[in-house]
């Protein structure tokens, strides 16, 4: 399990770099306000929004609780129509399964639709190492691939790049000048990608949902590339996290709308594909249809008290709306999954292993905007707090920090020692300003409030007399 | 005169230690409103700093002292912080599961502004009014689901004018230990807030949460934005608020 791609102590460095990029915060701030604007419109169109969130939460909670049973039903239905399901316990297993299919079918070029699971298992580097040519066909993902970058947002992979910076990437690809006119950029990309769809021996997509009762994979997109990727190549491989299952078509129909409302403020995206197996005999379409269901830590999370995080439907709202994400962008998190969902999910998938992932829950002011924005009602800011506890218990908090909190709790659980600490604090000026938390506080703040020489509890006696 | 009954004041550790003037002002405003004010002895802290830092056992130990102090108190427990009130209402049930004292305390918890806002009546404006902005903390807004009581109170003051700031619902960046662990991100968020308040024409920023004000006051001073920070009780006392 990698999931994080940053070096071990580079989180603070990546944050510094992001904060120095003032254009990033301007772009992300505008995107944040845009989301708040369309969410207000959605709640006006759907005055029952709170009930919708409750319903979505109930659907997802039930599906995650019964995931093994629902996946088994999904598999039965897929198999009955000539498709197959592969259960991948780890990222390596999933990559190995894709490579095996590619080898068996003699595939060279692979057309890819958008898939966060593919990012999670680091599929592209593995395919390239095996001599294959994976090409991203989602416009944003394609630009990220050409730039040699990770997507910085679940939904909008290159939101960190300006139009001009996107034009630069395409100019390099073209080997000639490129105007930053959006229409021109799209036209060029479309021309380039068209041949990939025709040439590819395999198409890979993600899955927004898997429907257990019908064995259907549901793919949402706005560009049409997902439909081409899933219908033109002879083999269609789907990558899905095991939590992405729903029981019924009715549940899926509701969740498609809920996801799209949250993500872009509309009831439906441009394309919703319901894919239930390989092409029937005599029909056009893939001869082979394989769904790779990835675990990679999910079962362990599902069996823990933190299972609700698996309810996530990857709408990206919590990233967009997060004031911290809006400042630092997705790359600062150094995880495939950034923002509040990433800060909660990343260390859980990694079982709180040492490394940067478990610092991420602390990268939040706990303002709760994420929880309010979540269309399936995940209490993200509460989960961030619980993750902090789990991270500390797994060893993130060093001896010094643990000792400091222990000393604090000893002192402040005694009113007498609390009052003594107030007197000591009032005399701590120069020391408090020069060292530790006080010094950090004064980075960017000119004043450090210290305990008063006459705290409220020493003023009360006089106040009481005036009653 | 205590025609509205007795309340128990919970100043919170920040007001007690760092902004005791807010506690004094709160006592005076509450009395003027007709409450008899008590200050249950033995309070320290609600435990939020440790709770939010991932040290729930340490949070419980400290909070239990405050719980014990409040358990025998009388009337509504008036908390001088939306953030601490939210921590009590959301974290304490978990910290004190099975503790019979907790329910009796929590059903009486009310944030200062939320207690007084229903008593406010709109006042006719006086001539030249001082322009102030109000910052509703995220824990007041989203934890207590109360985005209006502070503004209602400020709007009831004849001597001040509440100005609308851009992006008012955005977090100011304080976030407790977040302000120290990720100081650069925190102060960057703080600068946005300070700039929005300044752009709205306010020279005074009022909030029910001292934590946010400490942070924003420091950021304003650092960036030379002329802005004074005033707690809600201090503003109400100064402006002579009464129901």
């Amino acid at each position: 399990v990698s999931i994080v791609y940053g070096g071990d102590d580079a989180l603070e460095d990546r944050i510094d770099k992001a904060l120095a990029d003032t254009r990033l915060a301007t772009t992300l701030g505008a995107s944040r306000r845009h989301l708040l604007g369309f969410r207000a419109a959605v709640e006006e169109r759907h005055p029952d929004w709170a009930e919708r969130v409750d319903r979505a939460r109930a659907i997802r909670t039930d599906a995650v609780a019964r995931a093994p049973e629902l996946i088994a039903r999904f598999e039965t239905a897929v198999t009955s129509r000539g498709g197959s399901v592969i259960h991948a316990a780890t990222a390596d297993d999933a990559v190995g399964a894709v490579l095996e299919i590619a080898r068996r079918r003699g595939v060279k070029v692979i057309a890819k639709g958008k898939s966060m699971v593919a990012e999670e298992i680091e599929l592209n580097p593995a395919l390239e190492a095996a001599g294959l040519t994976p090409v991203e066909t989602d416009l944003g993902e394609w630009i990220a691939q050409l730039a040699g970058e990770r997507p910085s947002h679940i939904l909008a992979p290159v939101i960190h790049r300006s139009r001009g910076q996107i034009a630069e990437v395409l100019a390099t690809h073209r080997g000639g000048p490129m105007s930053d006119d959006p229409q021109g950029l799209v036209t060029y990309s479309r021309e380039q990608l068209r041949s990939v769809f025709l040439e590819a021996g395999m198409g890979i997509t993600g899955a927004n949902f898997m429907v257990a009762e019908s064995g259907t994979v549901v793919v949402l997109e706005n560009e049409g590339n997902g439909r081409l990727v899933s219908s033109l190549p002879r083999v269609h491989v789907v990558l899905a996290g095991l939590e992405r299952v729903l029981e019924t078509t009715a549940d899926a129909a509701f969740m498609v709308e809920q996801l799209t409302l949250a993500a872009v403020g509309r009831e439906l995206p441009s394309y919703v594909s319901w894919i239930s197996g390989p092409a029937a005999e005599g029909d056009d379409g893939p001869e082979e249809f394989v769904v790779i269901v990835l675990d990679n830590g999910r079962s362990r999370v599902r069996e823990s008290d933190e299972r609700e995080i698996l309810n996530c439907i990857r709408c990206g709202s919590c990233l967009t709306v997060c004031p911290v994400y809006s400042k630092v962008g997705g790359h600062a998190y150094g995880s495939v999954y950034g923002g509040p969902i990433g800060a909660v999910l990343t260390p859980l998938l990694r079982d709180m292993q040492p490394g940067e992932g478990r610092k991420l829950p602390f990268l939040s002011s706990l303002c709760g905007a994420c929880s309010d924005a979540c269309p399936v009602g995940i209490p993200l800011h509460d989960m961030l707090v619980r993750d902090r506890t789990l991270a500390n218990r797994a060893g993130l908090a060093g001896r010094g920090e643990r000792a400091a909190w222990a000393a604090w709790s000893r002192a402040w659980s005694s009113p007498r020692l609390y009052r003594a600490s107030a007197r000591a604090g009032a005399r701590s000026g120069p020391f408090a300003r020069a060292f530790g938390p006080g010094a950090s506080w004064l980075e960017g703040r000119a004043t450090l409030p210290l305990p008063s020489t006459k705290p409220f509890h020493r003023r009360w006696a006089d106040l009481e007399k005036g009653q | 005169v205590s025609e509205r009954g007795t309340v128990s004041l919970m100043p919170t550790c920040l007001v007690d230690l760092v902004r005791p003037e807010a506690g004094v002002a709160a006592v005076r405003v509450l009395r003027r409103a007709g409450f008899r004010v008590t200050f249950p002895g033995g309070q320290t802290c609600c435990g939020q700093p440790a709770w939010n830092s991932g040290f729930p056992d340490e949070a419980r130990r400290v909070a239990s002292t405050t719980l014990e102090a409040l358990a025998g108190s009388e009337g509504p427990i008036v908390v001088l912080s939306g953030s601490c009130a939210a921590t009590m209402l959301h974290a304490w049930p978990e910290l004190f599961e099975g503790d019979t004292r907790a329910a009796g305390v929590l059903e009486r918890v009310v944030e200062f502004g939320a207690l007084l806002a229903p008593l406010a009546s709109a006042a006719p404006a006086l001539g030249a009014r001082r322009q102030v902005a109000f910052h509703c903390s995220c824990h007041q807004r989203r934890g207590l689901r109360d985005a209006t009581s502070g503004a209602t109170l400020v709007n009831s003051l004849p001597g001040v004018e509440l100005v609308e700031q851009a992006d008012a619902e955005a977090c100011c960046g304080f976030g407790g230990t977040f302000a120290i662990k990720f100081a650069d991100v925190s102060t960057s968020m703080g600068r946005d807030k300070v700039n929005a308040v300044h752009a709205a024409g306010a020279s005074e920023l009022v909030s029910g949460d001292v934590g946010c004000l400490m942070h924003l006051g420091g950021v304003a001073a650092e960036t030379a934005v002329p802005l004074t920070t005033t707690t809600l009780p201090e503003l109400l006392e100064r402006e002579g608020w009464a129901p």
Side-chain angles (χ1 to χ4, degrees):
Chain A
V1 280
S2 144
I3 303 168
V4 293
Y5 52 80
D8 238 25
D9 277 301
L11 177 60
E12 283 77 11
D13 296 339
R14 288 196 305 271
I15 289 172
D16 287 349
K17 191 175 156 209
L19 288 174
D21 180 359
T22 52
R23 197 202 52 78
L24 180 69
T26 307
T27 305
L28 297 179
S31 155
R32 183 179 148 272
R33 285 187 293 276
H34 176 66
L35 182 139
L36 291 171
F38 74 62
R39 175 59 62 85
V42 163
E43 291 182 26
E44 216 162 280
R45 281 207 308 285
H46 299 273
D48 61 341
W49 180 254
E51 289 87 63
R52 290 185 64 103
V53 171
D54 288 345
R55 181 178 167 197
R57 187 180 192 182
I59 288 173
R60 289 296 295 143
T61 299
D62 176 65
V64 167
R66 295 161 57 210
E69 169 210 334
L70 295 179
I71 292 282
R73 277 170 67 187
F74 172 80
E75 179 169 2
T76 304
V78 168
T79 310
S80 74
R81 267 193 307 275
S84 58
V85 172
I86 295 173
H87 301 273
T90 66
D92 284 348
D93 291 348
V95 169
V98 176
L99 286 173
E100 202 281 316
I101 301 165
R103 207 161 18 238
R104 176 162 53 74
R105 305 284 314 203
V107 168
K108 299 245 166 0
V109 176
I110 297 176
K112 280 191 64 209
K114 200 166 159 14
S115 161
M116 289 309 294
V117 165
E119 290 292 327
E120 177 182 331
I121 65 177
E122 302 185 305
L123 182 61
N124 283 357
L127 295 176
E128 283 162 7
L132 302 172
T133 308
V135 183
E136 297 290 346
T137 64
D138 173 270
L139 183 54
E141 291 285 351
W142 188 55
I143 291 158
Q145 185 184 27
L146 293 180
E149 290 178 330
R150 298 282 193 148
S152 73
H153 187 287
I154 287 174
L155 213 64
V158 287
I159 195 168
H160 59 282
R161 284 184 167 265
S162 69
R163 212 163 63 185
Q165 288 169 327
I166 287 170
E168 281 168 27
V169 173
L170 295 185
T172 306
H173 181 258
R174 183 190 193 175
M178 200 77 209
S179 138
D180 69 354
D181 161 49
Q183 194 53 54
L185 297 174
V186 170
T187 304
Y188 175 76
S189 305
R190 185 177 283 150
E191 286 164 6
Q192 294 298 310
L193 291 173
R194 186 62 51 163
S195 61
V196 172
F197 295 121
L198 297 171
E199 212 182 320
M202 177 191 284
I204 298 179
T205 67
N208 292 99
F209 302 109
M210 296 178 280
V211 185
E213 68 175 6
S214 60
T216 303
V217 168
V218 188
V219 178
L220 278 60
E221 40 132 2
N222 282 313
E223 297 172 18
N225 67 305
R227 188 158 287 180
L228 290 171
V229 162
S230 59
S231 55
L232 286 182
R234 284 171 306 150
V235 184
H236 176 202
V237 173
V238 178
L239 296 171
L242 64 79
E243 79 283 11
R244 216 38 69 84
V245 72
L246 293 170
E247 182 170 22
T248 66
T249 305
D251 286 349
F254 175 74
M255 295 305 300
V256 163
E257 195 180 55
Q258 189 71 354
L259 169 55
T260 317
L261 284 169
V264 293
R266 288 185 282 125
E267 275 66 10
L268 282 175
S270 303
Y271 297 87
V272 184
S273 300
W274 301 75
I275 305 163
S276 306
E281 198 144 324
D283 273 359
D284 283 343
E287 300 157 9
E288 187 170 351
F289 175 72
V290 184
V291 182
I292 298 175
V293 179
L294 178 70
D295 191 319
N296 208 29
R298 288 164 172 78
S299 289
R300 188 174 21 74
V301 176
R302 202 183 69 83
E303 285 153 18
S304 76
D305 290 341
E306 310 310 313
R307 67 183 63 85
E308 188 169 1
I309 203 61
L310 298 179
N311 288 7
C312 171
I313 54 174
R314 305 288 190 271
C315 72
S317 299
C318 65
L319 284 76
T320 309
V321 84
C322 174
V324 172
Y325 174 90
S326 301
K327 282 292 176 189
V328 301
H331 289 152
Y333 290 80
S335 166
V336 172
Y337 305 106
I341 174 65
V344 175
L345 180 64
T346 303
L348 290 174
L349 287 179
R350 290 171 51 83
D351 200 17
M352 294 291 158
Q353 285 172 46
E356 291 210 304
R358 66 188 191 187
K359 291 185 191 169
L360 295 180
F362 293 87
L363 183 51
S364 164
S365 65
L366 301 177
C367 79
C370 48
S371 308
D372 273 12
C374 181
V376 296
I378 300 173
L380 284 154
H381 69 292
D382 292 335
M383 298 197 75
L384 284 165
V385 172
R386 289 209 300 273
D387 261 20
R388 292 177 180 191
T389 303
L390 294 171
N392 286 341
R393 287 182 180 158
L396 177 66
R399 188 178 297 179
E401 190 179 2
R402 281 183 281 129
W405 283 112
W408 172 81
S409 73
R410 255 195 313 279
W412 282 29
S413 55
S414 150
R416 187 180 57 80
L417 291 177
Y418 166 81
R419 289 171 184 218
S421 77
R423 287 192 296 276
R427 291 191 302 267
S428 68
F431 182 80
R433 288 188 177 87
F435 300 103
S440 303
W441 175 272
L442 286 166
E443 287 168 22
R445 303 179 194 91
T447 50
L448 172 67
L450 292 172
S452 164
T453 51
K454 198 167 180 195
F456 179 82
H457 63 257
R458 289 183 53 202
R459 302 182 191 214
W460 174 250
D462 287 342
L463 281 167
E464 202 174 16
K465 284 177 207 147
Q467 188 92 272
Chain B
V1 266
S2 57
E3 70 270 22
R4 291 189 204 274
T6 300
V7 296
S8 295
L9 189 69
M10 175 168 169
T12 77
C13 64
L14 273 185
V15 165
D16 181 29
L17 301 183
V18 173
R19 195 84 164 220
E21 300 83 2
V24 173
V27 171
R28 295 190 176 135
V29 170
L30 287 165
R31 283 181 182 160
R32 200 185 292 151
F35 294 99
R36 178 175 160 268
V37 182
T38 63
F39 173 47
Q43 303 178 44
T44 61
C45 164
C46 70
Q48 178 171 202
W51 170 258
N52 280 353
S53 299
F55 288 90
D57 296 334
E58 288 76 2
R60 182 183 300 107
R61 188 170 176 184
V62 169
S64 72
T65 301
T66 300
L67 171 63
E68 181 59 35
L70 296 173
S73 68
E74 195 183 339
I77 295 166
V78 184
V79 185
L80 301 188
S81 158
S83 190
C84 302
T87 295
M88 295 166 79
L89 291 171
H90 295 295
W92 280 23
E94 198 176 322
L95 288 177
F96 300 115
E97 211 182 330
D99 188 327
T100 49
R101 295 171 303 169
V105 164
L106 293 179
E107 68 187 13
R108 292 186 287 128
V109 164
V110 59
E111 186 271 333
F112 174 80
L115 175 77
L116 295 183
L119 309 178
S121 48
L126 294 180
R129 297 185 297 163
R130 185 182 171 88
Q131 295 199 310
V132 307
F134 187 82
H135 172 63
C136 179
S137 74
C138 297
H139 293 168
Q140 180 105 26
R141 180 185 299 276
R142 302 194 184 90
L144 302 179
R145 296 280 168 215
D146 172 16
T148 57
S149 64
T152 300
L153 286 164
V154 177
N155 270 324
S156 73
L157 299 170
V160 300
E161 180 190 358
L162 180 66
V163 299
E164 289 293 321
Q165 52 183 300
D167 222 3
E169 77 282 2
C171 175
C172 72
F174 172 57
T177 49
F178 170 76
I180 292 161
K181 274 190 198 273
F182 294 99
D184 291 346
V185 185
S186 165
T187 53
S188 179
M189 291 160 70
R191 285 195 293 277
D192 287 355
K193 182 64 68 185
V194 163
N195 290 337
V197 167
H198 183 60
S203 56
E204 180 173 28
L205 178 61
V206 180
S207 178
D209 273 277
V210 173
C212 304
L213 288 183
M214 280 166 34
H215 159 70
L216 292 171
V219 168
E222 176 83 17
T223 52
V225 174
L227 196 64
T228 56
T229 56
T230 308
T231 64
L232 184 61
E234 290 168 304
L235 180 80
L236 297 185
E237 190 204 8
R238 188 188 77 203
E239 299 294 324
W241 183 87

